[in-house]
């Protein structure tokens, strides 16, 4: 019954917006926080015991952690990984490019959140975060083929336009509920497909028992026991030795763990703040 009421109100609000009768809030809308810096209305319903210090500390901590992760990923890709690849293969692949874009989009969204909190205006930044999540999901759902890009890009474009249209047109708190739960739905879907991808690659590794070998241009053998007894003047002559690469599913396990933790935190905040309404 609640779902029917929500979608009925949302449809009515969007129809009113299309007719030029814009409504900022529905009748009897719950109270919400306003940002101290800009005085903008947010999507956050203040709990009974709300502490600014705790909220701001958690926000700044998130910004710092995500920013450091993005800086490290940028350094590793540009200064470590790409220079070690052959001339014609200097790429990280579409899947990794989307994850890298996700880090950048999330950094921008969390940085903007620290100034204006989650809200209708902030959603322009928050959509970058959700767009890359949707792109990861679409990338796993659309089978790779010479024509897959012709479907991948329009689907991503259709997603961001449709979500932006609803968020801009819907009044408070329908805009907040829609934005939060569509993002949470993508998070749960990503958990499922990441687990599926991990399981698939692990099964392949166990059946094939294949070991990937790559050249490490930064490995000079020093301090690993392989150059003991070699004169200092000749050490490092074997730079660029071959080394074993860990199976793909080991890296996917890190992504699965990060996805599950992200979904758990998002679900806690989304359900907790929505039930306060």
């Amino acid at each position: 019954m609640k779902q029917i009421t929500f979608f009925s109100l949302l449809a009515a609000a969007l129809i009113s917006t299309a007719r030029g009768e814009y409504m900022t809030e529905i009748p009897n809308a719950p109270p919400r926080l306003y940002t101290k810096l800009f005085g903008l209305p947010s999507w956050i319903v203040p709990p009974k015991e709300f502490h600014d210090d705790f909220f701001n500390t958690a926000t700044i901590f998130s910004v710092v952690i995500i920013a450091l992760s993005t800086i490290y990923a940028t350094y590793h890709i540009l200064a470590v990984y790409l220079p070690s690849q052959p001339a014609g293969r200097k790429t990280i692949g579409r899947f990794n490019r989307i994850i890298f874009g996700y880090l950048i989009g999330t950094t921008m969204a969390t940085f903007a959140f620290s100034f204006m909190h989650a809200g209708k205006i902030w959603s322009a930044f928050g959509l970058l975060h959700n767009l890359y999540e949707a792109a990861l999901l679409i990338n796993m759902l659309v089978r790779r083929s010479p024509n897959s890009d012709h479907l991948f890009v329009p689907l991503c474009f259709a997603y961001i336009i449709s979500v932006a249209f609803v968020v801009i047109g819907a009044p408070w708190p329908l805009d907040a509920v829609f934005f939060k739960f569509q993002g949470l739905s993508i998070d749960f879907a990503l958990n499922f497909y990441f687990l599926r991808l991990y399981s698939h690659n692990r099964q392949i590794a166990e059946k094939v028992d294949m070991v990937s070998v790559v050249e490490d241009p930064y490995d000079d053998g020093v301090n690993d026991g392989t150059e003991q007894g070699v004169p200092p003047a000749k050490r490092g002559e074997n730079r660029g030795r071959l080394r074993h690469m860990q199976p793909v599913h080991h890296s996917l396990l890190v992504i699965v763990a990060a996805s599950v933790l992200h979904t758990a935190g998002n679900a806690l905040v989304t359900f907790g703040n929505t039930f306060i309404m």
Side-chain angles (χ1 to χ4, degrees), residues 33 35 37 42 44 50-68 106-118 122 269:
L33 288 178
T35 59
L37 186 60
S42 72
I44 301 174
F50 180 76
H51 301 284
D52 274 344
D53 290 341
F54 175 80
F55 184 82
N56 293 332
T57 301
T59 301
I60 294 174
F61 178 77
S62 300
V63 172
V64 171
I65 293 298
I66 294 173
L68 290 176
T106 303
T107 301
M108 295 175 63
T110 51
F111 185 76
F113 181 87
S114 65
F115 289 99
M116 59 184 68
H117 299 339
W122 169 87
V269 173

Side-chain angles (χ1 to χ4, degrees), residues 93-138:
R94 187 165 78 180
F95 186 81
N96 290 325
R97 284 200 304 270
I98 296 174
I99 292 181
F100 183 54
Y102 170 82
L103 286 174
I104 296 176
T106 303
T107 301
M108 295 175 63
T110 51
F111 185 76
F113 181 87
S114 65
F115 289 99
M116 59 184 68
H117 299 339
K120 196 181 288 289
I121 297 177
W122 169 87
S123 65
F125 298 95
L127 265 176
L128 291 175
H129 167 84
N130 284 4
L131 172 63
Y132 283 106
E133 287 184 334
L136 280 170
L137 185 60
I138 294 170

Side-chain angles (χ1 to χ4, degrees), residues 199-210:
S199 177
H200 176 71
N201 281 273
R202 181 177 179 178
Q203 290 176 5
I204 292 177
E206 292 174 349
K207 290 179 181 179
V208 178
D209 195 23
M210 182 178 64

Side-chain angles (χ1 to χ4, degrees), residues 24-268:
T24 58
E25 296 183 358
I26 64 172
N28 301 318
R32 49 179 167 168
L33 288 178
Y34 284 78
T35 59
K36 291 183 178 180
L37 186 60
F38 298 111
L40 300 172
S42 72
W43 286 340
I44 301 174
V45 178
K48 293 181 180 179
E49 297 182 2
F50 180 76
H51 301 284
D52 274 344
D53 290 341
F54 175 80
F55 184 82
N56 293 332
T57 301
T59 301
I60 294 174
F61 178 77
S62 300
V63 172
V64 171
I65 293 298
I66 294 173
L68 290 176
S69 301
T70 305
I71 292 172
Y72 173 76
T74 304
Y75 165 78
H76 187 81
I77 292 172
L78 298 180
V80 178
Y81 180 78
L82 290 181
S84 68
Q85 300 302 300
R89 297 179 56 190
K90 292 186 179 295
T91 178
I92 59 175
R94 187 165 78 180
F95 186 81
N96 290 325
R97 284 200 304 270
I98 296 174
I99 292 181
F100 183 54
Y102 170 82
L103 286 174
I104 296 176
T106 303
T107 301
M108 295 175 63
T110 51
F111 185 76
F113 181 87
S114 65
F115 289 99
M116 59 184 68
H117 299 339
K120 196 181 288 289
I121 297 177
W122 169 87
S123 65
F125 298 95
L127 265 176
L128 291 175
H129 167 84
N130 284 4
L131 172 63
Y132 283 106
E133 287 184 334
L136 280 170
L137 185 60
I138 294 170
N139 185 66
M140 288 185 285
L141 291 174
V142 177
R143 296 190 61 180
R144 295 305 301 269
S145 67
N147 297 322
S148 61
D149 286 342
H150 297 297
L151 184 60
F152 174 78
V153 175
L155 285 175
C156 292
F157 182 77
Y159 165 78
I160 193 170
I161 291 298
S162 59
V163 173
F165 173 77
V166 175
V167 170
I168 292 172
W172 161 258
L174 302 182
D175 51 356
V177 174
F178 171 80
F179 186 88
K180 293 177 181 179
F181 279 94
Q182 63 84 27
L184 188 60
S185 300
I186 294 177
D187 288 339
F188 278 112
L190 282 175
N191 284 343
F192 173 78
Y193 280 99
F194 280 147
L195 284 169
R196 184 180 177 184
L197 190 63
Y198 164 78
S199 177
H200 176 71
N201 281 273
R202 181 177 179 178
Q203 290 176 5
I204 292 177
E206 292 174 349
K207 290 179 181 179
V208 178
D209 195 23
M210 182 178 64
V211 178
S212 299
V213 179
V214 296
E215 183 178 352
D216 187 354
Y218 296 95
D219 187 1
D220 57 8
V222 178
N223 297 328
D224 65 357
T226 60
E227 293 200 355
Q228 293 180 1
V230 178
K234 292 186 178 181
R235 289 186 179 180
E237 290 182 357
N238 61 340
R239 181 181 293 274
R241 298 179 309 157
L242 298 179
R243 66 179 177 85
H244 295 294
M245 225 184 135
Q246 68 177 6
V248 176
H249 67 274
H250 286 188
S251 299
L252 288 173
L253 184 59
V254 177
I255 296 178
V256 170
S259 178
V260 171
L261 288 174
H262 171 72
T263 303
N266 194 11
L268 180 64

